[in-house]
Amino acid sequence: MTERIAIVTGAARGIGAAVARRLAADGNAVAVIDLQEAATAETVDAITAAGGRAIGIGADVSDSAAVASAVARVADELGAPTILVNNAGILRDNLLFKMTDDDWDLVMQVHLRGAFLMSRAVQAHQVEAKWGRIVNLSSTSALGNRGQANYAAAKAGMQGFTKTLAIELGRYGVTANAIAPGFIQTDMTRATAERIGVPFDEFVAATVQQIPVQRAGVPDDIAAAASYFCSEEAGFCSGQVLYVAGGPTS
């Protein structure tokens, strides 16, 4: 297969790391982007140890200059990027009456502004290549979730953003799709358990009772979906939101 150059944001750990490893296993060279370059080392090392090509880059995806610099570095060191997975995200959960301006703004900046800046930068390479794949990470929280007004709004916004990218970029051979994970065992969900004062094992057990397949998700579940959306075979699938949640969502 033709080697593609992929960028995965927020890829130092959790879902992003799993996606980066999977895309590398699929034969792509991968740029692992996270806020601190040192944090990307584990993911990069795992890819290179398995025989893949990868570099780690530290960048704040909500900063336009940092994004431009990161994408230029990818093009210089790996090649022109044509696959982009916008996974970078943060949590600043709180009930509406306790949520601060900064809680709201930071979540919007990282999720939505970050996805916008990265997509705008990478699409130039995709259009030139007349081929591209963009995958945005949404969430079942886009349907509404107590204590997550900011996160839910951002993840719902990611779905509208994805569908618009699909419309605008389709004529250039670029697809855009979103993955909306349900409950996935990561550091972020562990932080949620801590926020509400419940031991993580109990939090997982209680959540699993509500999932039809009777298990929690793991990052590799999301990586498998990303693998398909980034593949050659997914060229006629665009503008879609795939809920990877162990059962139907309303």
Side-chain angles (χ1 to χ4, degrees):
M1 61 172 285
T2 301
E3 182 191 55
R4 305 288 187 182
I5 312 303
I7 294 175
V8 184
T9 69
R13 59 183 183 173
I15 289 173
V19 170
R21 292 192 304 267
R22 177 61 184 265
L23 293 185
D26 290 342
N28 305 292
V30 182
V32 178
I33 294 183
D34 215 287
L35 193 58
Q36 302 296 329
E37 183 167 329
T40 68
E42 184 175 349
T43 305
V44 171
D45 289 347
I47 291 170
T48 56
R53 287 206 302 146
I55 60 172
I57 298 175
D60 178 353
V61 297
S62 69
D63 181 276
S64 183
V67 165
S69 177
V71 173
R73 183 178 164 192
V74 173
D76 288 343
E77 297 187 23
L78 290 178
T82 54
I83 295 173
L84 171 64
V85 180
N86 285 309
N87 169 73
I90 60 171
L91 290 176
R92 292 294 185 272
D93 294 351
N94 224 325
L95 294 174
L96 182 62
F97 76 98
K98 294 181 180 179
M99 188 170 290
T100 67
D101 292 359
D102 284 347
D103 289 339
W104 180 271
D105 291 343
L106 285 170
V107 168
M108 293 299 166
Q109 286 167 11
V110 175
H111 291 268
L112 283 176
R113 179 178 168 85
F116 158 66
L117 292 175
M118 289 297 306
S119 298
R120 186 178 65 179
V122 171
Q123 62 83 34
H125 295 286
Q126 295 173 324
V127 169
E128 183 176 357
K130 295 182 172 56
W131 190 95
R133 301 285 186 264
I134 297 174
V135 178
N136 295 319
L137 268 292
S138 180
S139 169
T140 53
S141 292
L143 303 172
N145 197 30
R146 179 180 173 86
Q148 289 193 319
N150 49 4
Y151 186 78
K155 290 307 192 182
M158 291 289 269
Q159 296 187 16
F161 178 62
T162 298
K163 291 176 183 293
T164 301
L165 292 182
I167 293 167
E168 292 189 9
L169 299 176
R171 68 184 63 189
Y172 304 108
V174 180
T175 66
N177 293 285
I179 300 171
F183 183 80
I184 309 295
Q185 294 187 72
T186 65
D187 289 345
M188 288 183 74
T189 50
R190 186 177 294 275
T192 298
E194 291 176 0
R195 177 179 62 84
I196 63 177
V198 176
F200 188 57
D201 290 347
E202 293 181 15
F203 185 59
V204 171
T207 303
V208 164
Q209 291 179 8
Q210 308 302 316
I211 299 174
V213 301
Q214 291 292 285
R215 73 168 175 88
V218 295
D220 283 345
D221 292 318
I222 309 307
S227 175
Y228 168 68
F229 280 141
C230 294
S231 70
E232 302 287 341
E233 293 83 359
F236 201 57
C237 183
S238 194
Q240 302 307 301
V241 179
L242 176 64
Y243 284 86
V244 182
T249 57
S250 56

